[in-house]
Amino acid sequence: MPELLGAEGALDAPLRGIDHALGAPRRQRPQLRAVLPVESLDTSNGFLFGADVQTPRRDSWRRRSLALADVLGLVLAWAIMWVVAPPPTPITDDLLLAPVLPLWIVMNKVLGLYDRDASLVHRSTLNELPKLLHSLSLGAALLYLVGPLLLPSLDLLREQVVVWWLLAMALSPVLRHGARLAVQRGFDAEHVLIIGSGQVASAVAEKIGKHPEYGARLVGYVDVPHEEIDVRGVADLRRLGDVHDFEEVCRRHDVERVVIAFSNVEHEGLLDVIRMAKRLRLKISVVPRLYEVIGHGVQVDQIEGMTLLGLKSMQLSRSTLMLKRAMDVAGAAVGLLLLSPVLAAVAVAIKLDSRGPVLFRQRRIGHREQEFHMLKFRSMVVGADAMKDELAHLNEMQGGPMFKITEDPRITRVGRFLRRTSLDEIPQLINVLRGDMSLVGPRPLIPSEDGHVSGWHRARLDLTPGLTGPWQVLGRNRIPFHEMVKLDYLYVADWSLWNDVKLIMRTLPVMLGQRGS
């Protein structure tokens, strides 16, 4: 085995657990060669190409494009407002508001709406909606209250301000999303190097590799000399060298971002690598220890220069639960009312397509382990459950309790369409009104699946199961059972009303894109 991990082989060996696969005895970790100190960086040829050219240009264009999108959103909203709710003053008076636009850009800059993208791998417009709401609300309020004082000829009515604010809230996210797409398509993908190996590094590589919309391309990984493991589902990810080769690897592969993923490098050596990455003007992302329990709601605290991460308690207040329930009732009632024609059409289609009832009732495990009957439009032939054993050999979810066949022969013609569009889930709005389910929550499991959930994972039932949730939005059957359980637990442990709103908004593209079960 030593010859397989030599200097030459280390550069091209795929990320595979060779020692583990061949049953080789566990070797003692060798002493890590000293990482080059920051002071010894050779800057005679300049910094990385990515730092000199590609990275600043991409980031600069992204910032400018986002600012242009904001200005365009404000102006378009004002123009449409003149059509739907014209003010009493001449349109020429509105030219006095032109100096407001650069001030608005400055306010957005202070709120971090232009610089945050450079630090992120996943640049989501949805995640910045609270800050956009803050910016537009504050700007509209100042314009309404202070504008007439500075410009006496300006006559702003409450109706016009409210209409403009609503239009700006609708247009700004769309235009900002378009700006990000334009920049991503206009530049090469960001070159990403992983520092580390093992399960965490594999998970990071797999998740980045599955999302080309991130605009990131994995070039390989580096770690201590003897580590090699398997990266599932990510092709051509190679070991590019050892950590002492870090600067050379970055220059050779035009690295722009490094992801620290539980590297085996000793503490001081890893700090030297991070300091070197900063000197090379690379972007740095770090997978935190205990990442399994750290969600989006973590609070950053400081104690005399030491950073602490504050995690939310699992206990939700009574007022919070009441707010969630109120949103469920209102959303389910409105949904059933608006979708009643669809419900009727689907019911007729099911009856015409195959014999049997319109609705399918199935036992599920709900809040605090209480059983309930979940409603769905019937998408399979009558007696489908009895055929499960006969089709067990076709189950694609091997190694877990879940059952999935892509071309399931039990599914009816109408049922295939219903599943693809997730329309079979609509009757669950009745379960939401009853209180058995929530609009958003953990996935409701059947008893046989629930029996495989044990230990702290059972805390996923501290909240009512949902019609949609992390599992449905992030990939459904592409996500293994054990990871789905972890996602549910993290959702419960890190619950927030805004997270529910985001999951609902992310469910709509899944349905419209026909990415159902």
Side-chain angles (χ1 to χ4, degrees):
M1 288 305 300
E3 67 272 16
L4 293 177
L5 300 177
E8 294 293 328
L11 294 177
D12 297 310
L15 203 54
R16 296 192 180 97
I18 299 176
D19 287 349
H20 178 73
L22 297 182
R26 184 179 181 87
R27 293 172 296 183
Q28 187 173 359
R29 178 187 297 179
Q31 290 294 321
L32 178 65
R33 284 172 284 182
V35 178
L36 291 176
V38 174
E39 290 75 18
S40 67
L41 279 175
D42 178 16
T43 59
S44 59
N45 296 320
F47 288 110
L48 289 176
F49 112 91
D52 280 338
V53 182
Q54 191 78 2
T55 302
R57 279 193 62 202
R58 184 195 294 113
D59 293 343
S60 178
W61 271 99
R62 186 183 291 116
R63 287 191 295 268
R64 293 173 185 176
S65 299
L66 290 174
L68 179 62
D70 288 339
V71 171
L72 190 59
L74 297 176
V75 173
L76 280 178
W78 197 266
I80 298 174
M81 181 267 292
W82 260 94
V83 175
V84 298
T89 55
I91 192 171
T92 53
D93 289 354
D94 291 348
L95 296 177
L96 298 173
L97 293 174
V100 172
L101 295 175
L103 294 177
W104 214 299
I105 298 304
V106 172
M107 180 173 64
N108 286 352
K109 175 78 172 179
V110 172
L111 290 174
L113 284 169
Y114 302 131
D115 298 318
R116 64 185 292 270
D117 280 26
S119 303
L120 304 177
V121 175
H122 179 202
R123 304 169 186 91
S124 171
T125 303
L126 189 61
N127 289 335
E128 66 184 7
L129 284 185
K131 283 190 176 182
L132 278 178
L133 176 63
H134 183 189
S135 167
L136 291 172
S137 299
L138 179 60
L142 290 175
L143 191 64
Y144 180 70
L145 296 175
V146 182
L149 297 179
L150 300 178
L151 302 171
S153 62
L154 187 65
D155 187 12
L156 290 176
L157 301 180
R158 184 183 306 167
E159 178 187 358
Q160 278 78 39
V161 173
V162 170
V163 170
W164 171 82
W165 177 83
L166 291 172
L167 290 170
M169 273 303 302
L171 291 172
S172 292
V174 175
L175 292 172
R176 288 176 70 91
H177 179 67
R180 287 190 171 95
L181 287 179
V183 172
Q184 182 175 320
R185 292 173 180 173
F187 290 86
D188 293 336
E190 185 177 72
H191 291 192
V192 179
L193 174 71
I194 293 179
I195 300 179
S197 57
Q199 287 188 336
V200 176
S202 299
V204 170
E206 186 175 356
K207 291 178 186 296
I208 293 178
K210 288 193 302 187
H211 291 278
E213 69 272 16
Y214 292 171
R217 184 172 76 84
L218 293 164
V219 298
Y221 81 107
V222 298
D223 203 2
V224 293
H226 71 296
E227 293 293 330
E228 292 202 358
I229 54 90
D230 180 38
V231 174
R232 301 177 302 275
V234 181
D236 302 325
L237 189 65
R238 299 178 300 150
R239 184 185 182 95
L240 301 178
D242 304 332
V243 287
H244 73 280
D245 305 316
F246 176 70
E247 181 182 357
E248 179 187 351
V249 168
C250 289
R251 291 186 183 280
R252 187 192 318 135
H253 295 277
D254 301 326
V255 173
E256 302 170 65
R257 180 185 297 276
V258 295
V259 179
I260 314 295
F262 285 30
S263 171
N264 291 283
V265 180
E266 295 174 357
H267 180 71
E268 289 301 322
L270 188 58
L271 290 179
D272 282 344
V273 170
I274 294 175
R275 294 183 185 112
M276 184 184 297
K278 288 186 175 182
R279 285 288 301 272
L280 291 170
R281 300 178 186 173
L282 300 179
K283 302 169 187 175
I284 304 171
S285 300
V286 180
V287 179
R289 299 287 175 177
L290 306 177
Y291 71 94
E292 298 92 339
V293 295
I294 297 177
H296 61 89
V298 65
Q299 299 295 324
V300 180
D301 195 8
Q302 290 279 342
I303 298 181
E304 294 188 359
M306 177 180 287
T307 302
L308 300 180
L309 301 180
L311 306 183
K312 287 185 176 182
S313 169
M314 291 284 289
Q315 183 65 35
L316 297 181
S317 65
R318 184 178 300 177
S319 59
T320 299
L321 294 174
M322 289 176 61
L323 179 62
K324 182 173 174 61
R325 178 60 184 154
M327 186 175 77
D328 287 341
V329 173
V334 172
L336 285 172
L337 182 63
L338 295 178
L339 295 173
S340 54
V342 178
L343 291 169
V346 171
V348 171
I350 292 174
K351 293 300 289 184
L352 293 176
D353 182 56
S354 61
R355 65 179 184 85
V358 170
L359 295 178
F360 171 70
R361 294 171 173 82
Q362 189 177 45
R363 289 171 56 224
R364 298 288 178 121
I365 306 300
H367 180 54
R368 302 296 184 188
E369 304 189 28
Q370 297 294 316
E371 287 192 9
F372 70 97
H373 284 89
M374 190 180 76
L375 301 176
K376 298 179 72 173
F377 279 127
R378 182 176 58 83
S379 59
M380 290 186 172
V381 298
V382 176
D385 277 345
M387 302 167 60
K388 210 171 187 179
D389 292 339
E390 302 174 17
L391 302 172
H393 64 286
L394 299 176
N395 185 16
E396 299 167 7
M397 307 294 288
Q398 298 294 337
M402 300 174 72
F403 192 90
K404 170 68 177 179
I405 303 173
T406 301
E407 298 296 331
D408 197 323
R410 302 172 298 170
I411 300 178
T412 63
R413 288 176 301 173
V414 170
R416 198 169 302 280
F417 172 76
L418 295 179
R419 286 180 166 228
R420 192 168 59 246
T421 57
S422 298
L423 290 175
D424 60 323
E425 313 279 355
I426 294 179
Q428 292 169 34
L429 291 172
I430 299 174
N431 288 116
V432 175
L433 282 179
R434 291 176 177 173
D436 299 328
M437 296 179 64
S438 176
L439 289 178
V440 185
R443 180 175 180 262
L445 300 179
I446 59 177
S448 61
E449 293 173 344
D450 182 73
H452 287 77
V453 181
S454 60
W456 55 268
H457 290 117
R458 297 208 65 80
R460 64 185 295 279
L461 295 176
D462 285 356
L463 284 179
T464 306
L467 192 154
T468 188
W471 179 79
Q472 290 89 334
V473 165
L474 296 178
R476 289 200 173 203
N477 295 301
R478 295 193 301 271
I479 297 178
F481 181 80
H482 69 278
E483 190 169 344
M484 180 269 292
V485 172
K486 289 181 180 179
L487 286 173
D488 283 347
Y489 172 83
L490 192 58
Y491 163 81
V492 173
D494 205 40
W495 184 88
S496 70
L497 183 62
W498 170 238
N499 193 33
D500 275 9
V501 173
K502 284 198 301 182
L503 287 170
I504 291 174
M505 295 177 70
R506 293 179 68 180
T507 300
L508 298 177
V510 173
M511 295 180 63
L512 295 176
Q514 297 190 5
R515 289 180 280 150
S517 58

